[in-house]
Structure formats: structure tokens, C-alpha cells
């Protein structure tokens, strides 16, 4: 069994103190645009949860419930999981201060979540009992190529660790609007971060990594993307990114990075121009 840090909070970050830890979401936000990173994690400006983000959270909660029961030898079918989501619906809403324009919108989202959970469990084949479920891993960042301790931990919440013959597969769930060809680069920071955390925690390399996408099409689809264990050059690149990020933090230097990403940026309402 993988031992874990006591706290967890994947959707939101636990603290505005950017020096307390590095996470894949912090790194990815900084890579996308340093100003967006500063507005969110240093200035503490958070946008309300969108229906799409909330749907992801509900689906994650459902799969977590399913796998936690598996760990104690109980099998839930999709009806059981969906009923449990229904039972904790109000709590999920209040955790995120989530509101809907109409009860119709709320019902639609509930049905979408149920459809995705149902499709996932329907397609799930035989799989060993997970070694860890929704687990917070935190490890000091020590550059494996120079042995330098960077003085800050890496923290990540891993959805699932599935044991294999010699080592384990690290799995992440995503909800997505459409299916697409595997593009490893999109997930590189997250995959490398999870690989580093897994290796630092267990003292062995992962046997592979997986992203299981729950696609929100009219008829929900489930796609598994498999990625091999991280290579030396991928981990080297990860540490180069971490060092560049820490340099920016040290200098308090956050450059605007205007581009395609601005169309989906929560700060493109003028907030970014004022910073
Ligand atoms: S709108 Fe563009 S430049 Fe401004 S914070 Fe967002 S991504 Fe950065």
C-alpha cells in the first residue's frame, strides 16, 4: 500500500503560499502564462467553478467511491455509485459554492455525470485491486541528475495506482468535451510529476502511466491512453521547467504570454491588463 500525505485538495489549491509546495497544476498554469499564474496563486483571484469543472469533480467523486469500496472488497455497480452521488449532491454543491441558472441545468449535469460513471464502469474490465486511490503524494524535489535539493516539495494527487507484475501503473482520470489523438506533450508535466512522486515514494520506477478520459459526447465514450515509464530526458526536462519556475518566483518576474490560450483564460475580462 502506498503511504500518503494527510491532506488533499485537487481541484483547489490548499494555500496561496507558492513557496509551500509545487504542484503540476501550478507548473502548468505558469507555463501557460506567468501572469495568469500570479493572478491565481499569488493574488488569490479565483473564478467561480464552472459547470464543466464541477462535472469533472462529481465524476471523480463517483470513481473514487467505486475504487475505495473495491479496496475493502466491496463491489458497487454503477447504480450504487450514482445513488451515492445523489446522496452527497448537496455537499458537493456547497463545497464549491456551485449554483445553477435553473433546475433543468442542474438535472442535465447530474444525468451527464451518471452517464459518464455508467459508461466507465460498463467498460471496465478485470483489474487488480488498486494500491492507492485519490492519494496525495508529497516528496522533496531532489534533482536526480545533480542530487541538488531544490528546497521545496512536489505535491500531486494521484487518482489511482494499479499494481502490475513488477511495478504499478499510475492512472489519472480526465473528463473531456471531445476525444482526440494521444498527444503526450499536453500531459508531459503532469506525467513527469507523477512519475517523480511515485519513484520517490516507492523507490522503484512505474511500469507505465495512463490517462483515462471520460468523454462528454451525447453517448459517453471512455478512452484509455497509455504512456510508457518516463525517460531520463523527460525527467531532465521536468527539472529544467521546475528550475525556470523557481527563478521566476525568486525574481517576482511574471511575463504576459498573450496567444491562443487567452481565449480560454479566466482573466481575459480585463483583469490581466490591470496587472
Ligand atoms: S488573458 Fe492571456 S496574457 Fe492575460 S493572463 Fe490570460 S493568458 Fe495571460
Amino acid at each position: 500500500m502506498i503511504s500518503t500525505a494527510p491532506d488533499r485538495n485537487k481541484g483547489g489549491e490548499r494555500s496561496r503560499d507558492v513557496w509551500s509546495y509545487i504542484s503540476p497544476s501550478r507548473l502548468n498554469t505558469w507555463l501557460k502564462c506567468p501572469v495568469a499564474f500570479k493572478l491565481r496563486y499569488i493574488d488569490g483571484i479565483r473564478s467561480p467553478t464552472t459547470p464543466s469543472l464541477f462535472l469533472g469533480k462529481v465524476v471523480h467523486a463517483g470513481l473514487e467511491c467505486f475504487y475505495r469500496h473495491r479496496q475493502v472488497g466491496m463491489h458497487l455497480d454503477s447504480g450504487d455509485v450514482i445513488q451515492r452521488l445523489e446522496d452527497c449532491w448537496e455537499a458537493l454543491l456547497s463545497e464549491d459554492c456551485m449554483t445553477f441558472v435553473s433546475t433543468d441545468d442542474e438535472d442535465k449535469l447530474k444525468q451527464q455525470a451518471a452517464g459518464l460513471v455508467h459508461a466507465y464502469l460498463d467498460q471496465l474490465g478485470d483489474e487488480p485491486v488498486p494500491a492507492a486511490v485519490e492519494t496525495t503524494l508529497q516528496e522533496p524535489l531532489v534533482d536526480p541528475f545533480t542530487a541538488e535539493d531544490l528546497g521545496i516539495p512536489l505535491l500531486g494527487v494521484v487518482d489511482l495506482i494499479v499494481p502490475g507484475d513488477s511495478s504499478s501503473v499510475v492512472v489519472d482520470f480526465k473528463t473531456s468535451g471531445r476525444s482526440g489523438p494521444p498527444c503526450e506533450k499536453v500531459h508531459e508535466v503532469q506525467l513527469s510529476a507523477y512519475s517523480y512522486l511515485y519513484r520517490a515514494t516507492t523507490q522503484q520506477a512505474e511500469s507505465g502511466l495512463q490517462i483515462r478520459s471520460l468523454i462528454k459526447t451525447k453517448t459517453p465514450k471512455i478512452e484509455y491512453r497509455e504512456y510508457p515509464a518516463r525517460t531520463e530526458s523527460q525527467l531532465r526536462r521536468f527539472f529544467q521547467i521546475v528550475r525556470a519556475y523557481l527563478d521566476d518566483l525568486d525574481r517576482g518576474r511574471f511575463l504576459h504570454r498573450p496567444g491562443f490560450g487567452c481565449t480560454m483564460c479566466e482573466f481575459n475580462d480585463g483583469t490581466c491588463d490591470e496587472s
Side-chain angles (χ1 to χ4, degrees):
M1 189 73 73
I2 309 275
S3 66
T4 64
D7 196 5
R8 75 179 179 84
N9 186 344
K10 190 173 193 179
E13 297 288 341
R14 295 187 309 177
S15 156
R16 288 182 191 162
D17 176 5
V18 289
W19 288 107
S20 59
Y21 63 90
I22 294 180
S23 68
S25 52
R26 289 179 177 197
L27 278 178
N28 273 325
T29 306
W30 171 80
L31 279 170
K32 182 185 81 173
C33 176
V35 166
F37 168 84
K38 175 179 174 289
L39 289 169
R40 181 185 296 180
Y41 293 113
I42 295 179
D43 300 346
I45 302 174
R46 303 307 296 262
S47 306
T49 304
T50 62
S52 174
L53 281 176
F54 186 67
L55 175 68
K57 179 176 172 166
V58 172
V59 169
H60 266 80
L63 299 186
E64 178 182 353
C65 170
F66 170 79
Y67 280 110
R68 287 207 186 280
H69 281 81
R70 274 219 71 196
Q71 281 191 304
V72 294
M74 284 177 66
H75 177 80
L76 300 184
D77 63 25
S78 53
D80 297 327
V81 174
I82 290 162
Q83 183 57 51
R84 280 167 167 80
L85 284 177
E86 180 72 45
D87 294 344
C88 63
W89 187 255
E90 291 303 322
L92 288 168
L93 287 176
S94 98
E95 259 177 43
D96 276 36
C97 302
M98 182 70 199
T99 53
F100 290 91
V101 175
S102 68
T103 49
D104 261 10
D105 287 352
E106 185 172 350
D107 287 344
K108 264 186 216 154
L109 192 138
K110 236 186 235 185
Q111 282 166 18
Q112 210 174 11
L116 288 166
V117 168
H118 185 75
Y120 179 85
L121 294 181
D122 215 33
Q123 187 174 312
L124 187 67
D126 276 346
E127 168 172 91
V129 173
V133 177
E134 195 75 10
T135 297
T136 300
L137 300 179
Q138 180 170 320
E139 293 289 338
L141 271 165
V142 180
D143 187 328
F145 307 101
T146 63
E148 183 189 356
D149 185 338
L150 301 188
I152 187 166
L154 177 66
L155 180 147
V157 184
V158 175
D159 288 333
L160 200 63
I161 296 180
V162 181
D165 290 341
S166 54
S167 182
S168 296
V169 177
V170 181
V171 179
D172 191 60
F173 299 124
K174 294 208 183 296
T175 47
S176 164
R178 58 195 160 94
S179 55
C183 181
E184 198 166 333
K185 287 280 180 210
V186 173
H187 307 297
E188 177 163 316
V189 166
Q190 189 181 24
L191 295 174
S192 296
Y194 287 177
S195 163
Y196 177 84
L197 287 168
Y198 179 80
R199 294 177 192 201
T201 305
T202 64
Q203 310 305 316
Q204 61 174 344
E206 69 283 2
S207 60
L209 300 114
Q210 251 183 34
I211 292 184
R212 300 182 182 178
S213 296
L214 293 86
I215 319 279
K216 302 178 277 182
T217 37
K218 201 168 169 196
T219 305
K221 277 200 306 187
I222 310 300
E223 290 178 349
Y224 282 35
R225 305 283 186 213
E226 317 247 357
Y227 303 96
R230 298 297 82 187
T231 63
E232 188 178 311
S233 66
Q234 284 165 331
L235 290 174
R236 200 180 286 279
R237 212 152 50 219
F238 177 72
F239 272 85
Q240 284 165 353
I241 290 169
V242 168
R243 284 173 188 278
Y245 164 85
L246 290 173
D247 272 358
D248 265 14
L249 247 55
D250 256 341
R251 294 177 195 182
R253 178 187 59 187
F254 302 103
L255 295 179
H256 286 254
R257 200 164 289 164
F260 279 126
C262 298
T263 56
M264 292 175 291
C265 177
E266 63 198 290
F267 303 115
N268 71 2
D269 57 355
T271 312
C272 123
D273 291 324
E274 290 159 16
S275 66

